[in-house]
Amino acid sequence: MSEQQADGFYPRVNAKMVKSGQFSGMIVSVVGILQSCDGSFATIQCADGDTARLSVEPDISLPIGKPIEVIGAANEDGSVQHFINRDLGDDFDLGVYNQMIEIQQNPKFQAEYFQAVM
């Protein structure tokens, strides 16, 4: 990370973006449906349909099969270190959310419509 990330601001990313390495070392938001959790790692199917791996604490209890937002640090290996999560409710539309992420991260729109958080 070349610049220090502003406190309280973090990019919203999907699995493809996490795995790209572009956000390594940054605090990010990942949204999706939790598929599994074994006490060390969890798998989340992100808004883009791809999966991301989450590093979690052994005693964590996460809602399998439910849409959640995970805030955590993007690692160089393409995983996210889980810090905190929140339930998004059963009617959360992952497709619409992913479209928003793709637009928000598109350089064509960033300068005029979105504050850069990187």
Side-chain angles (χ1 to χ4, degrees):
M1 173 169 68
S2 60
E3 296 179 23
Q4 180 161 343
Q5 188 172 353
D7 287 341
F9 291 94
Y10 42 84
R12 299 177 186 286
V13 299
N14 58 31
K16 175 182 74 175
M17 295 169 184
V18 170
K19 292 176 182 178
S20 76
Q22 176 184 359
F23 298 95
S24 293
M26 296 182 72
I27 306 295
V28 297
S29 165
V30 178
V31 168
I33 297 177
L34 197 68
Q35 293 183 323
S36 64
C37 183
D38 68 9
S40 296
F41 293 98
T43 302
I44 186 169
Q45 182 176 7
C46 296
D48 62 351
D50 198 358
T51 59
R53 192 168 177 179
L54 308 173
S55 300
V56 298
E57 296 294 321
D59 59 347
I60 195 161
S61 176
L62 294 171
I64 305 294
K66 300 284 186 177
I68 62 170
E69 176 183 29
V70 175
I71 309 298
N75 299 316
E76 289 182 13
D77 66 359
S79 68
V80 174
Q81 175 63 51
H82 172 278
F83 293 161
I84 192 166
N85 63 275
R86 69 178 124 207
D87 180 20
L88 297 175
D90 293 330
D91 60 349
F92 190 84
D93 191 324
L94 291 171
V96 169
Y97 187 81
N98 192 61
Q99 289 175 358
M100 184 273 303
I101 291 171
E102 295 287 342
I103 291 169
Q104 190 175 40
Q105 295 297 334
N106 185 328
K108 177 180 176 182
F109 302 110
Q110 276 185 346
E112 191 166 338
Y113 299 104
F114 302 103
Q115 176 184 5
V117 294
M118 297 185 1

